[in-house]
């Protein structure tokens, strides 16, 4: 039984490395290698999940002490997230193999997907800052490749510029904390005396530098200006990777930094990060509301959700490790990535994302439109779907903690969200067709992908406590 | 009057790299040409890398080589970690520079311009 999660990072890297070597001899079939890699990582993460408990386990690499060496961390929450992320990556790669393999070099893009899987697994699992920086850069490089999948070179350029700035900020933060504590370990830095003696202003600047550094990957304000244009100009499989795989790595890295390093009641830090998250939530929803392209709209919705989740996590640590707020944030993250993957796959199967072309396509592709609507209803938080429960738990935890400002901003932006998501469903299902569009007949595999994701959403909709109780049981990592 | 050592540590090792970083940032915010933007990012990279290396500086430091045959512990070992970090950062920045330059070529092939203002209008 494989118990060490290092294979989740090493295997995709090894496979990717050797795939490049066999390329002179084999001309086709690289997408199969990518699917195979995602299948293995899904199985490995499931094995890790089945062996995980609520306690945080450290896995030292190379036999070094976890205080000074490289190590990975995992518990049932981390491994559960890995199962979900790797499974969605697997579905995206199947979709890529059957529909988008010929959009660009099969070798190049398959390697981009494989690299992204290794990077996101590494970012979720790593326990030290140096590796976190390396995985952030790997994740970005994978993302740069995927951003060009449909020829969106200029949008990819914007992503590279913003993400490079973020990487540099993160690196400055890493070296600054190393300079004062002499450590890079997430678990040991807060235990050092030199860390406790640091002035509050240093910690505030450090935390803001890190959050800004990661804002490119996690789609948070301010380095998220690439999102709308990349989402619009890249392929379906790549956009699913951005929305449901890569962004999770970025968001979870921020969660780890906040909960492992700054978990000792630094209220001032959380005021800034909480404000940054709320601004992202509000601006994201307001900009999404104005879009006329469904993929771009979902991109801005992802930005808003990242803001919501980070605000909730910041608030949960500020109010003395409040488990309700934190659990509702993680539950929202899970529901959001499943529903967003379903809607994006649905739009890919239809083949169009501009509102003028989507009008009335549901009449010709009724099954696809209905499955896609399950995703939009869940994102909008309609009762009976998974998204309803996470929003319900968010409202409940905000009310019980007396966070009225947050509640008002959240409900106000939820109104925007409900409006634009229902408008998307209404355009697809009920509006009369305006333009002549040629629709491809979806394959069985595409239906299977959509049905599986819709089934997960409905299952969580009916049995939310199965997952929510699990999240609550773990609570904050390292808390 | 600053001693040579203080001047070296404060001005050359800290403010020098930070000035290079901000020169790059200024270029990034003001330039309209994609190639100049790429060069600005590289200048920022250089600033950060020099800053990191300078943090590991030890006066009269020696290479931190400590093996089974060389068991002498010397007090003024140079901290090797910032150097390892910079090496990684350099490799990453080379890869990103190569990628972003090839992107610039692709952008030029597609739009026949590398001017941001024109590209923004063409993309819309």
């Amino acid at each position: 039984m494989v118990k060490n999660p290092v294979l989740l990072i090493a295997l995709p890297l090894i496979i990717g490395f050797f795939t490049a070597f066999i390329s002179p001899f084999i001309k086709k079939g690289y997408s199969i290698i990518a699917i195979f890699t995602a299948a293995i990582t899904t199985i490995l993460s499931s094995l890790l999940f089945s062996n995980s408990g609520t306690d945080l386990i450290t896995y030292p690499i190379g036999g070094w002490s976890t205080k000074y060496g490289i190590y990975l961390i995992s518990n049932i929450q981390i491994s559960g997230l890995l199962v979900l992320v790797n499974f969605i990556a697997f579905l995206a790669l199947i979709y890529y193999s059957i529909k988008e393999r010929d959009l660009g070099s099969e070798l190049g893009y398959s390697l981009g997907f494989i690299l992204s899987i290794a990077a996101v697994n590494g970012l979720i699992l790593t326990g030290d800052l140096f590796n976190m920086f390396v995985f952030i850069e790997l994740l970005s490089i994978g993302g740069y490749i995927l951003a060009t999948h449909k020829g969106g070179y200029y949008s990819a350029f914007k992503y590279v510029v913003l993400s490079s700035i973020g990487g540099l900020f993160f690196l400055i933060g890493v070296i600054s904390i190393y300079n004062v504590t002499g450590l890079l370990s997430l678990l040991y830095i807060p235990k050092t005396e030199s860390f406790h003696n640091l002035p509050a202003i240093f910690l505030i600047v450090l935390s803001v530098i890190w959050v800004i550094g990661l804002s490119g990957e996690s789609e948070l304000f301010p380095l998220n200006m690439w999102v709308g244009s990349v989402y619009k100009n890249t392929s379906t499989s790549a956009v699913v990777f951005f929305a449901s795989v890569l962004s999770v790595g970025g968001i979870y890295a921020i969660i780890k930094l906040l909960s492992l390093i700054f978990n000792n009641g630094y209220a001032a830090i959380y005021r800034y990060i909480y404000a940054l998250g709320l601004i992202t939530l509000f601006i994201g929803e307001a900009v999404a509301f104005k879009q006329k392209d469904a993929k771009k709209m979902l991109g801005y919705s992802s930005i808003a959700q990242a803001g919501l989740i980070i605000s909730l996590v910041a608030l949960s640590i500020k109010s003395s490790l409040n488990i309700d707020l934190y659990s509702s944030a993680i539950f929202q993250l899970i529901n959001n990535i499943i529903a967003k993957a379903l809607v994006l796959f649905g739009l890919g199967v239809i083949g169009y994302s501009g509102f003028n072309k989507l009008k009335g396509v549901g009449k010709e592709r009724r099954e696809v439109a209905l499955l896609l609507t399950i995703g939009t209803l869940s994102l909008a938080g309609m009762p009976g779907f998974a998204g309803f429960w996470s929003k319900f738990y968010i409202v409940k935890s905000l009310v019980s903690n007396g966070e009225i400002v947050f509640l008002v901003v959240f409900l106000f932006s939820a109104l925007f969200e409900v409006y634009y998501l229902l408008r998307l469903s209404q355009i697809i299902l009920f509006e009369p067709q305006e333009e002549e569009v040629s629709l491809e007949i979806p394959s069985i595999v595409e239906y299977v992908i959509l049905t599986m994701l819709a089934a997960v959403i409905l299952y969580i909709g009916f049995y939310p406590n199965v997952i929510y109780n699990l999240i609550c049981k773990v609570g904050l990592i390292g808390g | 009057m600053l001693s040579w050592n203080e001047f070296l540590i404060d001005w050359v090792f800290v403010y020098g790299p930070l000035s290079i970083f901000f020169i790059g940032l200024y270029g990034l915010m003001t330039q309209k040409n994609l190639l100049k933007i790429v060069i600005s990012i590289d200048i920022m990279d250089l600033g950060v890398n020099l800053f990191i290396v300078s943090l590991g500086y030890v006066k009269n430091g020696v290479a931190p080589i400590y093996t089974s045959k060389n068991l002498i512990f010397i007090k003024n070992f140079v901290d090797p970690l910032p150097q390892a970090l910079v090496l990684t950062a350099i490799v990453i920045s080379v890869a990103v520079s190569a990628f972003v330059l090839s992107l610039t070529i692709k952008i030029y092939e597609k739009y026949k311009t590398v001017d941001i203002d024109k590209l923004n209008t063409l993309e819309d």
Side-chain angles (χ1 to χ4, degrees):
Chain A
M1 191 73 79
V2 185
K3 284 184 185 171
N4 197 325
V6 73
L7 283 174
L8 283 166
I9 306 159
L11 260 177
L13 289 177
I14 292 168
I15 293 173
F17 183 76
F18 284 105
T19 307
F21 275 101
I22 59 163
S23 61
F25 312 106
I26 301 167
K27 294 287 165 222
K28 277 186 169 183
Y30 300 110
S31 57
I32 304 296
I33 297 176
I35 295 175
F36 173 71
T37 311
I40 293 183
T41 52
T42 311
I43 294 167
L44 287 176
S45 48
S46 309
L47 288 174
L48 182 69
F49 179 71
S50 62
N51 287 317
S52 294
T54 50
D55 292 336
L56 197 67
I57 310 276
T58 54
Y59 299 91
I61 309 292
W64 296 91
S65 132
T66 48
K67 192 170 179 182
Y68 300 105
I70 294 169
Y71 65 98
L72 306 176
I73 50 173
S74 178
N75 61 15
I76 202 158
Q77 189 186 96
I78 292 176
S79 54
L81 209 57
L82 283 170
V83 176
L84 190 62
V85 163
N86 283 286
F87 180 65
I88 292 178
F90 173 67
L91 295 182
L93 283 166
I94 291 176
Y95 185 88
Y96 164 70
S97 179
I98 55 168
K99 259 198 118 170
E100 294 177 331
R101 201 176 40 192
D102 300 325
L103 273 180
S105 150
E106 191 185 351
L107 171 66
Y109 288 103
S110 298
L111 286 180
F113 283 117
I114 292 174
L115 186 66
S116 305
I117 293 172
V120 80
N121 287 343
L123 201 49
I124 294 176
L125 282 165
T126 186
D128 77 281
L129 286 166
F130 189 5
N131 267 315
M132 193 177 266
F133 166 70
V134 174
F135 287 124
I136 289 166
E137 293 295 337
L138 269 186
L139 189 99
S140 307
I141 293 172
Y144 304 156
I145 299 170
L146 302 188
T148 61
H149 198 191
K150 231 167 132 184
Y153 302 118
Y154 184 50
S155 38
F157 188 91
K158 287 184 209 166
Y159 177 36
V160 178
V161 171
L162 291 168
S163 193
S164 302
I165 300 171
L168 289 176
F169 273 104
F170 188 81
L171 192 56
I172 293 174
V174 170
I175 200 64
S176 306
I177 197 77
Y178 176 74
N179 197 34
V180 286
T181 61
L183 294 174
L184 289 167
S185 160
L186 290 174
L187 293 175
Y188 285 92
I189 285 172
K191 290 179 188 162
T192 56
E193 209 186 318
S194 44
F195 183 80
H196 287 289
N197 295 335
L198 286 171
I201 186 74
F202 181 88
L203 291 173
I204 292 170
V205 172
L206 183 69
S207 60
V208 172
I209 278 184
W210 273 340
V211 173
I212 290 175
L214 281 162
S215 64
E217 281 70 33
S218 58
E219 304 180 359
L220 273 178
F221 184 76
L223 297 177
N224 57 8
M225 272 84 88
W226 56 272
V227 173
S229 114
V230 166
Y231 271 51
K232 190 185 167 190
N233 294 315
T234 194
S235 64
T236 301
S237 41
V239 88
V240 169
F241 252 73
F242 276 113
S244 303
V245 180
L246 303 185
S247 66
V248 180
I251 293 173
Y252 208 72
I254 296 183
I255 293 176
K256 274 202 294 197
L257 286 175
L258 295 184
S259 55
L260 291 175
I261 294 198
F262 303 105
N263 62 359
N264 230 344
Y266 302 103
I269 293 172
Y270 291 100
R271 265 204 300 276
Y272 291 97
I273 294 167
Y274 163 70
L276 194 78
L278 278 193
I279 293 169
T280 311
L281 168 66
F282 191 73
I283 295 178
E285 297 292 20
V287 179
F289 179 75
K290 284 174 69 183
Q291 299 306 314
K292 290 192 161 49
D293 183 280
K295 270 159 79 176
K296 217 170 169 178
M297 185 184 87
L298 291 168
Y300 287 110
S301 162
S302 286
I303 289 176
Q305 294 308 310
L308 171 66
I309 290 157
I310 294 302
S311 283
L312 282 167
V313 173
L315 198 60
S316 75
I317 303 171
K318 189 182 147 206
S319 29
S320 311
L321 308 176
N322 188 304
I323 298 303
D324 285 350
L325 286 162
Y326 179 77
S327 305
S328 62
I330 298 291
F331 197 31
Q332 172 70 4
L333 175 69
I334 291 170
N335 288 337
N336 185 52
I337 58 177
I338 300 170
K340 212 143 264 171
L342 173 61
V343 180
L344 287 166
F345 274 129
L347 289 170
V349 173
I350 291 171
Y352 296 97
S353 64
F355 283 174
N356 50 344
K357 302 236 170 171
L358 282 174
K359 277 183 182 168
V361 290
K363 287 177 183 114
E364 283 182 54
R365 291 281 171 271
R366 188 159 292 274
E367 297 82 2
V368 177
L370 285 173
L371 289 167
L372 186 150
T373 306
I374 292 177
T376 52
L377 292 176
S378 178
L379 283 175
M382 291 294 141
F385 300 93
F388 168 77
W389 291 107
S390 47
K391 289 201 169 162
F392 171 76
Y393 287 124
I394 289 173
V395 172
K396 195 177 150 197
S397 56
L398 287 175
V399 170
S400 62
N401 285 284
E403 292 292 338
I404 303 303
V405 179
F406 196 150
L407 187 67
V408 170
V409 177
F410 172 67
L411 290 176
F412 202 61
S413 30
L415 273 182
F416 278 116
E417 202 181 13
V418 169
Y419 175 79
Y420 67 70
L421 287 165
L422 292 185
R423 190 175 54 152
L424 175 65
S425 293
Q426 187 233 350
I427 285 171
I428 294 174
L429 286 171
F430 305 114
E431 291 221 353
Q433 219 161 357
E434 272 181 12
E435 284 186 35
E436 200 60 42
V437 285
S438 62
L439 298 170
E440 283 178 38
I441 298 169
S443 64
I444 295 289
V445 182
E446 289 170 69
Y447 277 121
V448 171
I449 292 174
L450 294 177
T451 315
M452 276 168 87
L453 289 170
V456 175
I457 289 173
L458 291 173
Y459 177 79
I460 300 177
F462 284 111
Y463 303 103
N465 289 336
V466 176
I467 292 186
Y468 188 68
N469 287 348
L470 202 63
I471 299 169
C472 286
K473 216 158 69 180
V474 181
L476 199 77
I477 46 164
Chain B
M1 185 75 184
L2 276 175
S3 71
W4 169 243
N5 203 38
E6 280 170 345
F7 173 75
L8 198 69
I9 289 174
D10 285 357
W11 289 92
V12 179
F13 289 170
V14 179
Y15 298 118
L18 285 181
S19 320
I20 297 175
F21 177 80
F22 284 110
I23 290 170
L25 194 63
Y26 173 77
L28 189 74
M29 290 194 292
T30 53
Q31 297 306 308
K32 304 268 180 207
N33 184 307
L34 294 187
L35 281 173
K36 287 182 182 171
I37 290 176
V38 177
I39 293 167
S40 303
I41 294 175
D42 284 344
I43 293 173
M44 285 169 76
D45 271 336
L46 181 71
V48 174
N49 289 343
L50 282 174
F51 178 64
I52 297 170
V53 170
S54 67
L55 287 180
Y57 171 76
V58 175
K59 199 185 173 194
N60 299 327
V62 289
I65 301 165
Y66 186 73
T67 62
S68 55
K69 285 180 186 163
N70 182 22
L71 280 169
I72 314 149
F73 178 76
I74 301 168
K75 219 175 175 183
N76 55 349
F77 268 163
V78 173
D79 187 354
L81 196 127
Q83 298 172 12
L85 222 136
V86 163
L87 271 180
T88 317
I90 289 172
V91 172
I92 292 168
S93 84
V94 167
V96 173
S97 295
F99 182 82
V100 78
L101 285 171
S102 61
L103 260 186
T104 313
I105 295 171
K106 284 282 186 189
I107 292 169
Y108 185 74
E109 280 174 2
K110 193 174 172 183
Y111 299 105
K112 298 288 172 225
T113 180
V114 283
D115 185 278
I116 280 194
D117 289 336
K118 286 181 190 162
L119 284 166
N120 283 335
T121 15
L122 284 170
E123 215 201 14
D124 293 335

